[in-house]
Amino acid sequence: MPNNPFRGRDEAIGFGLETVPGTAVAPQTFQPHLAVTLDPKTNVEEDKSALGRSESRSDSAVTEEWVEGSINAILNDLTIGYPLVNIFGQVAAALHSGETIVYDNTFTVAGPGVLPPSLTFARTSPVRSRRFAMGTLTDLEIDIKQNGFVEFTATVTAKSGATSTETVLIPGFNKFTSKHVVVKRATSLAGLTGATAMQLKSIKLKLSRKTDRFTPLGTIDPVSFDPNDFAATGSMVLRYTDTSLEDVAFLNTQQALSIALVNTDVTIGSATNPSLTFTMPKVRFSPITLDNPLDKTLSETVNFDCELDTTANYMIQAVLTNLKNGYAHA
């Protein structure tokens, strides 16, 4: 093994969808990243038994081990599908209208009793390569700011990992910048199509599905990360030019919201742009927070929470339009 120091950019992180949860697989893709951590964690029990002396402990033992961390990266139209299928729980693919090689991958929240497909995280560096099985996202945040790339941060957990050998191959994909983003608000889901795009400074969307780590008797490794309830929240910042959003928030009025990332600089298939669209049919805004600079335009910050719409039959769905026919294990 080399003894030379190396940089963070000398590492690579890969995703692979597991056939059997907890059984590591080879990466199906590698994700270019801005930052990555997968830190080892342990539960250590101490023996504090009295031995007729003043010292507080005489032994300890590791009773559980796993990893936790996060992946921060620029969002693209291909690799984001792996985090999406894990946090949502299920995906269905269909040919995009008028196309023969372009697909709409629709991600929806898995129903009760359905475990989201687990991932293997492959991490390789000049020091070592390891595969971390049963990878699970607990949060996925999409962060969009003026004059920048669209980014995501995935908070993850997994089993402690095993040594592997990896060959890093970066696939072709299309990225999204702030100019590719259209956010719309309407009084109903049907009204989003004809709604005027909002003029935002920034917007964040956070998908959360916390887990309970289960390590039964007879083992040191978790055998499952049991999913809890699913939630979708967010926040947006815009110039304070009228009270329309303020009034909606104060009255707790139901709204529909969509966030569309459409790379109009690229054509895939015959006439389609790669895209990722989040649709939320039932959203409630919290009362605004207003800044108050003396010499600059005022801005308002408003948080929002998504609710289950029993008519549309979903809280939030994502449609990823690209050249990939579904996201399934290899």
Side-chain angles (χ1 to χ4, degrees), residues 233-311:
T233 60
S235 64
M236 59 178 70
V237 180
L238 62 161
R239 294 178 303 168
Y240 185 62
T241 58
D242 61 69
T243 64
S244 59
L245 194 54
E246 182 179 10
D247 296 339
V248 164
F250 186 75
L251 295 173
N252 196 38
T253 303
Q254 175 183 333
Q255 298 280 279
L257 187 67
S258 67
I259 304 171
L261 318 178
V262 184
N263 188 335
T264 52
D265 301 323
V266 175
T267 298
I268 54 177
S270 60
T272 301
N273 304 124
S275 64
L276 172 60
T277 300
F278 295 94
T279 305
M280 296 146 274
K282 188 177 180 182
V283 170
R284 309 281 184 179
F285 293 101
S286 300
I288 70 168
T289 300
L290 192 64
D291 66 2
N292 193 26
L294 294 181
D295 300 314
K296 293 185 179 181
T297 302
L298 271 65
S299 296
E300 57 183 318
T301 300
V302 59
N303 299 325
F304 60 87
D305 292 273
C306 300
E307 299 175 352
L308 173 64
D309 187 315
T310 55
T311 300

Side-chain angles (χ1 to χ4, degrees), residues 158-218:
K159 297 178 73 170
S160 57
T163 300
S164 65
T165 301
E166 310 295 351
T167 299
V168 178
L169 297 173
I170 303 298
F173 49 73
N174 302 291
K175 294 171 282 191
F176 302 97
T177 70
S178 56
K179 78 170 185 176
H180 299 137
V181 180
V182 176
V183 180
K184 292 184 177 182
R185 173 175 66 91
T187 57
S188 67
L189 183 60
L192 285 174
T193 301
T196 301
M198 302 177 70
Q199 293 187 339
L200 302 182
K201 290 186 173 183
S202 65
I203 186 168
K204 290 183 179 181
L205 175 66
K206 186 175 184 178
L207 310 178
S208 298
R209 198 168 203 167
K210 305 303 182 186
T211 61
D212 293 322
R213 192 175 60 255
F214 178 56
T215 305
L217 300 179

Side-chain angles (χ1 to χ4, degrees), residues 120-152:
T120 294
F121 301 124
R123 186 181 189 182
T124 182
S125 74
V127 172
R128 68 175 181 177
S129 295
R130 291 180 71 81
R131 292 179 184 173
F132 302 89
M134 203 175 287
T136 304
L137 273 71
T138 57
D139 294 294
L140 177 63
E141 183 171 280
I142 312 297
D143 191 4
I144 306 170
K145 297 184 179 73
Q146 291 173 292
N147 304 318
F149 284 107
V150 177
E151 296 183 16
F152 76 87

Side-chain angles (χ1 to χ4, degrees), residues 29-52:
T29 190
F30 278 86
Q31 170 68 63
H33 66 276
L34 299 172
V36 62
T37 58
L38 280 172
D39 296 331
K41 303 288 182 180
T42 60
N43 275 330
V44 177
E45 287 298 307
E46 299 176 353
D47 185 352
K48 298 182 178 180
S49 302
L51 297 174

